[in-house]
């Protein structure tokens, strides 16, 4: 289908047509090439979709001035999906984001009788909160005010909607954890952080707390719900697991602090097994890097035993089963 789209774009001389269809075709192809590991091409296609949006004016409130409500919401959804995709892609591939939305845009509203719409609005809210807490150039801002925003955002809990679709729930819970870890990594070089695991602010042990909560939230989801999001989901899970490994390596004493049942090494092992079990492609180097970090964290004895599936963990006793799983693999 991507090849058909490429051929049709060439025949129609697509670059001369400033239309929503041209924008959406670029976005579709961005997703395709991203999921097949062709990051440079996917990046250029995303930038092309954003350029169309800028030319059409979807990022400005004046574009929506004379549109009826349904048409307004349709175009707002396109603008917001470009916004969150641009932010996620930029964070995952260390690129500057290029798409900004006017703060005076009409409000994005959930669609009636559309189960996925409420979850999408919540996802947009997560990325907007991240953007508000962490501007592009942190060092150019007043550090005291900025770090206060980041600390508040890290401690904040987002009420997620009750999604009937577990695919949507997976996206929300993993993205929330991923953004919190990314925000923590942005802030940690600029503060005198504490090693107190009970400190919910800018603590060195913060990724461990996020990872433990993430594992608990994933117990109600199947592997398929994560795999549906492609390699991007693997990258987000890797970021959380890698941050836990970095904390263990930089502050090994913290690895022995925490729950009596589940410590940081157990959490890291469970996340690593989960990531290895996902049937996704596009980022094989991430698994290699994570295994190297686990060896450095003295988790190399895990071996190639049975990989943890999300459904292996029950709702009633998550932590005990994670520990039990680790004992089985040893």
């Amino acid at each position: 289908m991507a090849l058909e789209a490429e051929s049709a774009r060439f025949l129609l001389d697509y670059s001369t047509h400033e239309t929503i269809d041209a924008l959406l075709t670029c976005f579709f192809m961005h997703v395709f090439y991203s999921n097949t590991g062709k990051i440079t091409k996917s990046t250029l296609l995303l930038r092309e979709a954003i350029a169309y949006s800028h030319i059409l004016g979807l990022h400005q409130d004046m574009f929506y001035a004379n549109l009826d409500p349904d048409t307004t919401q349709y175009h707002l959804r396109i603008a917001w999906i470009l916004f969150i995709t641009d932010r996620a892609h930029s964070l995952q591939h260390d690129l500057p984001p290029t798409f900004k939305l006017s703060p005076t845009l009409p409000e994005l509203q959930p669609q009636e009788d559309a189960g996925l719409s409420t979850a999408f609005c919540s996802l947009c809210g997560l990325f907007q909160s991240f953007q508000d807490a962490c501007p592009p150039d942190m060092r150019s801002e007043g550090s005291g005010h900025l770090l206060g925003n980041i600390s508040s955002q890290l401690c904040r809990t987002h009420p997620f909607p009750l999604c009937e679709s577990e695919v949507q729930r997976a996206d929300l819970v993993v993205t929330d954890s991923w953004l919190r870890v990314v925000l923590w990594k942005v802030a940690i070089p600029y503060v005198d952080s504490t090693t107190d695991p009970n400190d919910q602010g800018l603590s060195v042990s913060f990724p461990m707390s996020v990872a433990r909560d993430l594992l608990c939230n994933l117990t109600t989801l199947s592997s398929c719900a994560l795999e549906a999001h492609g390699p991007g989901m693997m990258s987000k899970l890797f970021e959380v697991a890698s941050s836990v490994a970095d904390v263990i390596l930089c502050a090994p004493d913290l690895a022995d602090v925490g729950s009596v049942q589940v410590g940081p090494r157990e959490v890291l092992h469970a996340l690593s097994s989960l990531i290895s079990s996902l049937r996704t492609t596009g980022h094989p180097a991430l698994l290699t890097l994570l295994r190297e970090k686990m060896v450095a964290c003295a988790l190399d004895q895990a071996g190639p035993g049975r990989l943890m599936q999300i459904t292996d963990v029950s709702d009633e006793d998550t932590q005990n089963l994670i520990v039990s799983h680790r004992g089985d693999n040893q």
Side-chain angles (χ1 to χ4, degrees), residues 39-72:
I39 303 304
T40 298
K41 191 163 188 176
S42 73
T43 300
L44 293 174
L45 284 162
L46 178 58
R47 295 294 193 255
E48 196 170 10
I50 290 171
Y52 271 115
S53 181
H54 283 151
I55 292 170
L56 293 168
L58 268 65
H59 62 300
Q60 298 176 327
D61 50 3
M62 65 182 67
F63 175 85
Y64 304 89
N66 299 316
L67 300 181
D68 63 80
D70 289 343
T71 305
T72 293

Side-chain angles (χ1 to χ4, degrees), residues 130-171:
F130 175 85
Q131 177 69 19
D132 292 343
C134 181
D137 189 357
M138 179 172 181
R139 283 164 291 189
S140 66
E141 303 289 333
S143 60
H145 174 70
L146 180 60
L147 292 174
N149 286 345
I150 290 178
S151 181
S152 298
Q153 184 62 27
L154 290 175
C155 298
R156 179 182 176 187
T157 56
H158 297 274
F160 294 137
L162 297 175
C163 309
E164 295 182 4
S165 167
E166 67 171 359
V167 173
Q168 287 285 328
R169 290 203 307 273
D171 196 11

Side-chain angles (χ1 to χ4, degrees), residues 4-81:
E4 287 290 337
E6 292 270 25
S7 177
R9 278 156 55 95
F10 176 76
L11 291 174
L12 294 172
D13 192 13
Y14 75 96
S15 61
T16 63
H17 300 281
E18 301 170 4
T19 65
I20 291 294
D21 287 339
L23 183 161
L24 292 177
T25 304
C26 292
F27 184 80
F28 159 75
M29 294 174 63
H30 153 73
V31 175
F32 170 76
Y33 286 113
S34 179
N35 286 345
T36 52
K38 298 179 180 178
I39 303 304
T40 298
K41 191 163 188 176
S42 73
T43 300
L44 293 174
L45 284 162
L46 178 58
R47 295 294 193 255
E48 196 170 10
I50 290 171
Y52 271 115
S53 181
H54 283 151
I55 292 170
L56 293 168
L58 268 65
H59 62 300
Q60 298 176 327
D61 50 3
M62 65 182 67
F63 175 85
Y64 304 89
N66 299 316
L67 300 181
D68 63 80
D70 289 343
T71 305
T72 293
Q73 290 300 314
Y74 171 73
H75 288 91
L76 281 173
R77 287 193 295 275
I78 295 174
W80 274 101
I81 202 168

Side-chain angles (χ1 to χ4, degrees), residues 97-294:
T98 60
F99 193 57
K100 298 179 181 179
L101 296 178
S102 168
T104 56
L105 284 184
E107 183 178 357
L108 182 66
Q109 300 285 351
Q111 292 175 274
E112 294 182 4
D113 302 323
L116 304 183
S117 181
T118 301
F120 176 67
C121 291
S122 296
L123 190 65
C124 294
L126 285 179
F127 278 92
Q128 185 61 61
S129 295
F130 175 85
Q131 177 69 19
D132 292 343
C134 181
D137 189 357
M138 179 172 181
R139 283 164 291 189
S140 66
E141 303 289 333
S143 60
H145 174 70
L146 180 60
L147 292 174
N149 286 345
I150 290 178
S151 181
S152 298
Q153 184 62 27
L154 290 175
C155 298
R156 179 182 176 187
T157 56
H158 297 274
F160 294 137
L162 297 175
C163 309
E164 295 182 4
S165 167
E166 67 171 359
V167 173
Q168 287 285 328
R169 290 203 307 273
D171 196 11
L172 283 172
V173 299
V174 174
T175 299
D176 177 61
S177 297
W178 170 62
L179 286 176
R180 286 160 66 82
V181 166
V182 170
L183 198 57
W184 173 84
K185 290 175 71 174
V186 168
I188 208 67
Y190 303 98
V191 297
D192 294 326
S193 55
T194 175
T195 58
D196 182 1
N198 297 316
D199 185 351
Q200 293 301 306
L202 294 169
S203 169
V204 172
S205 61
F206 182 76
M208 300 176 185
S209 174
V210 172
R212 188 177 290 111
D213 291 343
L214 175 60
L215 281 174
C216 292
N217 287 330
L218 291 179
T219 58
T220 60
L221 302 170
S222 67
S223 297
C224 292
L226 296 176
E227 293 166 350
H229 295 282
M233 179 62 73
M234 179 179 173
S235 295
K236 293 175 182 178
L237 291 169
F238 166 81
E239 191 77 41
V240 177
S242 179
S243 296
V244 173
D246 289 340
V247 170
I248 294 174
L249 291 172
C250 295
D253 291 344
L254 290 177
D256 300 322
V257 178
S259 170
V260 174
Q261 294 177 311
V262 179
R265 287 190 174 91
E266 287 80 9
V267 171
L268 176 58
H269 181 263
L271 274 177
S272 176
S273 296
L274 169 59
I275 293 169
S276 300
S277 71
L278 296 180
R279 296 171 295 179
T280 56
T281 58
H283 302 290
L286 295 184
L287 281 176
T288 301
L289 179 58
L290 186 56
R291 290 190 186 106
E292 291 174 353
K293 288 190 175 186
M294 292 185 67

